[in-house]
Amino acid sequence: MGSLPSQLEYTPMSYHMSILQEVTGESSVEGRLVRSYKRSFNGFAARLTESERERVAEMEGVVSVFPNMNYKLQTTASWDFLGLKEGKNTKHNLAIESDIIIGVIDSGIWPESDSFSDKGFGPPPKKWKGVCSGGKNFTCNNKLIGARDYTSEGARDLQGHGTHTTSTAAGNAVENTSFYGIGNGTARGGVPASRIAAYKVCSETDCTAASLLSAFDDAIADGVELISISLSGGYPQKYEKDAMAIGAFHANVKGILTVNAAGNSGPFAASIESVAPWMLSVAASTTNRGFFTKVVLGNGKTLVGRPVNAFDLKGKKYPLVYGDTFNESLVQGKILVSAFPTSSEVAVGSILRDEFQYYAFISSKPFSLLPREEFDSLVSYINSTRSPQGSFLKTEAFFNQTAPTVASFSSRGPNTIAVDILKPDVSAPGVEILAAYSPLSSPSDDRIDRRHVKYSVLRTFHPEWSPSVIQSAIMTTARPMNPNTPGFASTEFAYGAGHVDPIAAINPGLVYELDKTDHIAFLCGLNYTSKTLQLIACEAVVTCRGKTLPRNLNRPSMSAKINGYNSSYTVTFKRTVTNLGTPNSTYKSKIVLDLGAKLSVKVWPSVLSFKRVNEKQSFTVTVSGNNLKLNLPSSANLIWSDGTHNVRSVIVVYIT
């Protein structure tokens, strides 16, 4: 990948093929060229030997050559929980909503799902420039207005993930949906009136960086206004080698915000892969609805686990067999009990110990994951009973008033690529979500599961807002969260600024704005060379006219990694806010220390006065302290308030 040539006769395909011809010595290179990117950035994917790769990397104008890595998929009441209720209780601007085009880069879509019906929809917005190229027997409509396939399978979703994420974001309201009678209700997306464009980059075997870049390239040109992507590469990568970060950068420059799942590698620290500041990185959290599966023992005692069990054994009890290794003949017709992940094709069902608080796990047979205390109680029963027996009850859904917590599987910070950029940005419901599914795919990961379901458990008010303004509004109005377990990975490195509040985000008061120049200065502050910057920005000449300390990037959150143990420290953060509230307004600063934090935080100036809307004011935050604990951050909140708006920024300092 490199900068765009300036020749008038330049065409991307011919230029890329000439490079391949020069490197390979072959006159015909059609079989070598996999993809040619020709809209938003300049580059190509090709089949090369190691020596050929080295020759390409040494050519003038080539900034970076990186492997075509494989990405992984990240996988009803949630919108009510967030305050976006149906009916007249929630304000909707339907005229603007129907003009919003959401591009979903995933495993495709099931176009016949009721979630994507175009009943009541008018023609696509005039700004739509895309196509419906979904393959054989695939049609679009006025809701699903476009589709592209990069897998040679067609855009139809064969796995269910893409259909699920798309309907969660933008699906129509579909009444009386459930998963085998569990979680019955209305399934709908956050913006039901919006339009959808599906970009299939993941087949059942591959999900490549080449396809991902092609999807970004096309989506930007097609006219989407928001990109949703729930993929991960397996580990954090430097920005110049991260296809998602490169694609999202160009989308951002064109005014398109990329929303990306934090990842499924939690609960371990430094596992987050969505680390670019120009993307909105979202952790997965719970809602106020939980799915509970009860195990009834022969002595009448009931134990409660979390997975989704759709099977009703009607009270019939089966022998319980406990151990960590099994002979299939010993468990046939019985319930398998183990402290470790295991399964059996001949057992009636399984009961395992839940070490990481899994949620919404679906199995092809009766199944339950029990918390350690419940599991230990089960083992005691088995060991003290001559013929232990048990049975499963079908999962029930219960609502409660507990605060949302981050799911154990959700990836955590700190950010290992830019250590002073706090990631994830926010958390949002990401577990036990009822949404559309592909009827060709089983709802569980078991190869023996032959069930098929239509539904499974897994910028509309201000179209003029830039990606950074949207991101800022979401972050500064998020609801504070508290660590649900001790340790580094359960703090702000799990949930960022907090739990999203989409209603409050409509009217944030003050926002932190960023543009392409700011991001380039940020990369310069990371000591990126001009050559590497050309790759990310895709411009012929990119120079570092000034450097920004990464922690001074004008983001709503403030984070700094401190060097040295048991020593005093002082760090400063420089920020600028833009008034989107009311003219003639005055904001006063307030510092709220998190429990146990021993910080001194000073803000100068401590009061900001605005005479007009869109006026900007700058301030400095100075944080000092000493004796930070290893792997345990100290944090605080800066709140700017005018009596109506409370603009909250998270402040985190840490050592590792």
Side-chain angles (χ1 to χ4, degrees), residues 522-562:
F522 157 75
L523 293 171
C524 291
L526 291 176
N527 296 320
Y528 273 57
T529 65
S530 294
K531 185 177 181 181
T532 307
L533 288 171
Q534 289 172 17
L535 165 66
I536 299 175
C538 276
E539 294 182 359
V541 178
V542 182
T543 57
C544 290
R545 292 187 174 86
K547 292 185 178 182
T548 296
L549 283 175
R551 67 170 177 261
N552 285 334
L553 184 64
N554 199 43
R555 286 170 48 84
S557 59
M558 305 174 202
S559 177
K561 181 179 179 180
I562 306 300

Side-chain angles (χ1 to χ4, degrees), residues 559-638:
S559 177
K561 181 179 179 180
I562 306 300
N563 296 319
Y565 303 104
N566 299 322
S567 59
S568 60
Y569 60 87
T570 298
V571 293
T572 60
F573 302 94
K574 297 180 180 179
R575 292 293 188 269
T576 298
V577 287
T578 303
N579 179 28
L580 294 186
T582 58
N584 299 314
S585 56
T586 298
Y587 286 80
K588 297 180 180 180
S589 63
K590 178 183 178 182
I591 296 295
V592 179
L593 297 181
D594 283 356
L595 183 65
K598 296 180 180 179
L599 300 172
S600 172
V601 183
K602 296 182 179 180
V603 183
W604 180 258
S606 60
V607 177
L608 301 177
S609 296
F610 298 89
K611 295 182 178 179
R612 61 186 184 278
V613 176
N614 292 322
E615 182 181 350
K616 298 181 184 295
Q617 295 279 358
S618 298
F619 62 92
T620 299
V621 177
T622 302
V623 181
S624 58
N626 54 59
N627 298 326
L628 278 173
K629 293 182 179 180
L630 182 65
N631 291 331
L632 188 62
S634 287
S635 56
N637 293 275
L638 163 63

Side-chain angles (χ1 to χ4, degrees), residues 35-98:
R35 301 193 187 280
S36 179
Y37 311 118
K38 51 189 178 292
R39 294 185 172 192
S40 305
F41 36 84
N42 184 33
F44 62 91
R47 298 180 178 90
L48 300 172
T49 65
E50 178 59 26
S51 60
E52 290 168 346
R53 184 201 68 80
E54 291 175 355
R55 288 199 292 273
V56 171
E58 293 170 356
M59 296 180 71
E60 184 179 354
V62 175
V63 174
S64 179
V65 181
F66 52 88
N68 184 26
M69 66 178 295
N70 250 321
Y71 284 78
K72 298 178 182 178
L73 296 167
Q74 305 280 22
T75 294
T76 51
S78 56
W79 293 113
D80 286 340
F81 179 60
L82 291 176
L84 292 175
K85 299 182 182 295
E86 290 185 273
K88 298 179 180 179
N89 291 330
T90 297
K91 179 182 177 182
H92 285 277
N93 192 331
L94 295 180
I96 295 179
E97 279 190 16
S98 66

